[in-house]
Amino acid sequence: MADSADSLTLVPAGRNMPRHVAIVMDGNGRWAKRRGLPRVIGHQAGVKALERTIDYARDLGIRYLSVYAFSTENWKRAHSEVQGLMGLFRYYLKGKIGQMHRRGARVRFAGQMSAFPDDILSIVESAEEMTRENTAIDVIFCVNYGGRQEILDAIAGLIRSGHEGPVTEDVLRRHLYAPDIPDPDLLIRTGGELRISNFWLWESAYSEYYFSDVYWPDFGREELARALDSYAGRERRYGSA
Ligand code: IPE
Ligand code: IPE
Ligand code: MG
């Protein structure tokens, strides 16, 4: 577990804290390249950063943490990199879910899960089932996630449902991947790129953005605290004057 006493001193209680923090975990490949290592080693280091971040977020009282781990576009990468990522996904799910469960995390997934092999699907289902009642933090793994695909899937689901009457935001939202989770308040992207890359397109309509030059494997408590600090000073107006 993260050193909770230290984490709390970095972000004093009573601050304006986001309920839902979403993270585009970018920069693993460049982190590895800078060290002359294969990209997959960067992804391994990224898994460690993720484990730390889940602990910090939980200790700080962030109720929902969603992480972009694999996009619908990431299949375009070299077969070896995709295979490496699938291997890590398996290892992470098998090895870490029990630990997350003991720490009170509810584990969820958002994305087109049908693309994954059966063994991964069965671990995903048992992880969701095992952790369903946990309330310390919800961790949403966005895998084979694409914002445009999510909206298309929601429209298809809406049509299948035979809905009659006006199609309002609330009606469409019911068909998104995680309709009960509040929209991201704070959306962090590491790795220095200033783009959204198809993440939470519907849900991020009014999210606050924080872009960090830190490569994801180097992300830690200090950078999370900086993002939360930046968020705490913002005024959210949602279009009002
Ligand atoms: C993010 O790191 C992880 C995934 C997309 C799976 P990258 O692999 O995109 O790292 P960079 O952006 O090439 O450095
Ligand atoms: C976004 O990173 C996807 C994930 C972090 C999973 P990418 O590295 O795929 O995004 P682009 O290609 O730089 O836009
Ligand atoms: Mg990238």
Side-chain angles (χ1 to χ4, degrees), residues 2-165:
D3 184 340
S4 54
D6 275 6
S7 330
L8 290 171
T9 54
L10 277 169
V11 182
R15 297 284 301 278
N16 180 20
M17 283 283 284
R19 260 208 307 169
H20 178 178
V21 174
I23 308 183
V24 180
M25 307 183 290
D26 196 27
N28 295 350
R30 281 164 287 161
W31 181 93
K33 190 175 179 199
R34 192 196 258 171
R35 288 163 176 75
L37 297 168
R39 293 178 63 85
V40 72
I41 304 291
H43 296 314
Q44 282 172 14
V47 168
K48 295 210 177 76
L50 174 59
E51 284 184 64
R52 293 196 294 272
T53 303
I54 293 170
D55 279 343
Y56 299 146
R58 194 201 67 154
D59 292 348
L60 289 165
I62 291 165
R63 185 62 189 78
Y64 301 91
L65 176 72
S66 60
V67 290
Y68 202 9
F70 192 86
S71 77
T72 46
E73 288 71 34
N74 287 147
W75 298 104
K76 293 178 200 159
R77 297 188 177 197
H79 182 68
S80 57
E81 183 173 352
V82 172
Q83 286 307 106
L85 283 164
M86 293 301 142
L88 266 178
F89 193 28
R90 261 190 202 93
Y91 153 83
Y92 185 85
L93 291 176
K94 282 190 183 149
K96 304 293 174 183
I97 297 298
Q99 184 181 311
M100 289 183 63
H101 180 46
R102 287 191 292 282
R103 292 176 188 177
R106 178 173 177 188
V107 176
R108 308 177 62 168
F109 297 85
Q112 267 200 343
M113 303 309 291
S114 55
F116 294 102
D118 284 348
D119 71 307
I120 289 191
L121 285 183
S122 73
I123 321 173
V124 158
E125 274 165 31
S126 60
E128 287 191 326
E129 192 51 43
M130 185 205 294
T131 62
R132 195 173 297 279
E133 305 297 325
N134 293 343
T135 56
I137 186 171
D138 279 29
V139 181
I140 303 103
F141 293 93
C142 300
V143 284
N144 196 25
Y145 176 88
R148 289 183 172 178
Q149 191 60 55
E150 180 182 27
I151 293 168
L152 290 175
D153 286 348
I155 293 168
L158 177 63
I159 293 168
R160 266 198 314 275
S161 75
H163 174 80
E164 287 173 12

